[in-house]
Amino acid sequence: ALLGLVSTALLQGVPLDIAWRESAKGLEFSRKAKYQDDVDVILSQQRFIANMQGRTASFSSFDDVQAGQDTSDENTFKETAFEAELGKDRTPMLVYRYWLLKMQARFVSGDDAEALAAARKAKALLWAALGIPELVLNYHYYAALVMTALYEGAPADEQREWRELLLEHQTQLREWAQVYPP
């Protein structure tokens, strides 16, 4: 439930400082309960929030500002180290959520190539999120935006593949819009 509160807050456009405070409560609880996957999902959400607030090393990074410095602080978030741990017996939902957030952040920052790489990793795990509509919706929406942003510069064969994928995204999004009108 704690993970969903932050996801819902972000989806609803709640001010980021409020979303951060909610995530901090969830992080404290999850650490005390020793739910490492929940801890890492919340850390992913916090890295997205910090990135959107300009509190990361760059707009195209989840690293803490001081992560590039020589530091042994275990609380300093390092994107590459975090990603290296994602493949080690982690739940698919955790890994999916991370790549989804990274795709969104990289798209917003204009780093479309990194957004596409994250989209591809999220797509491989999309099955893990099928029971959580907002996570599936965000994938379809942002993956379509990423492909659209890269479309003109892509080779012809990739454009053909992306046209088919864009139609799939459009069909899915249209279906949801008809079933769940505003």
Side-chain angles (χ1 to χ4, degrees):
L2 296 170
L3 305 177
L5 287 175
V6 178
S7 292
T8 301
L10 293 172
L11 187 62
Q12 291 175 339
V14 168
L16 292 173
D17 57 330
I18 294 171
W20 182 273
R21 282 195 302 271
E22 290 303 314
S23 71
K25 292 176 195 173
L27 185 59
E28 181 182 356
F29 175 83
S30 296
R31 281 184 169 149
K32 285 180 182 175
K34 300 184 190 299
Y35 295 140
Q36 189 59 46
D37 281 348
D38 286 2
V39 166
D40 287 342
V41 168
I42 295 168
L43 286 173
S44 300
Q45 292 168 330
Q46 286 188 334
R47 299 321 308 156
F48 177 83
I49 293 167
N51 184 252
M52 294 298 105
Q53 291 177 319
R55 296 187 297 116
T56 53
S58 75
F59 198 38
S60 193
S61 171
F62 282 165
D63 286 345
D64 278 325
V65 174
Q66 68 271 24
Q69 301 169 3
D70 185 25
T71 179
S72 59
D73 183 359
E74 66 184 41
N75 294 320
T76 300
F77 188 91
K78 295 179 184 100
E79 188 174 304
T80 55
F82 186 84
E83 290 175 6
E85 293 296 315
L86 290 178
K88 298 180 179 173
D89 298 324
R90 306 313 298 273
T91 62
M93 178 60 83
L94 154 67
V95 180
Y96 172 79
R97 283 177 179 258
Y98 175 79
W99 293 117
L100 179 66
L101 287 166
K102 184 170 180 174
M103 172 181 53
Q104 292 173 252
R106 292 307 186 272
F107 174 75
V108 171
S109 74
D111 190 344
D112 298 326
E114 282 289 316
L116 180 62
R120 288 179 170 149
K121 290 178 179 180
K123 183 180 181 181
L125 297 167
L126 183 60
W127 59 268
L130 291 178
I132 305 174
E134 71 267 13
L135 295 181
V136 178
L137 169 70
N138 279 347
Y139 168 76
H140 284 285
Y141 182 73
Y142 279 94
L145 290 174
V146 169
M147 282 184 257
T148 301
L150 290 167
Y151 186 83
E152 284 188 28
D157 59 328
E158 202 161 33
Q159 285 182 347
R160 279 189 295 278
E161 176 189 342
W162 287 356
R163 268 194 302 273
E164 291 176 28
L165 289 171
L166 285 167
L167 284 173
E168 290 174 23
H169 292 310
Q170 180 186 33
T171 300
Q172 182 61 71
L173 292 168
R174 182 176 287 131
E175 179 183 320
W176 286 331
Q178 290 170 348
V179 173
Y180 306 104

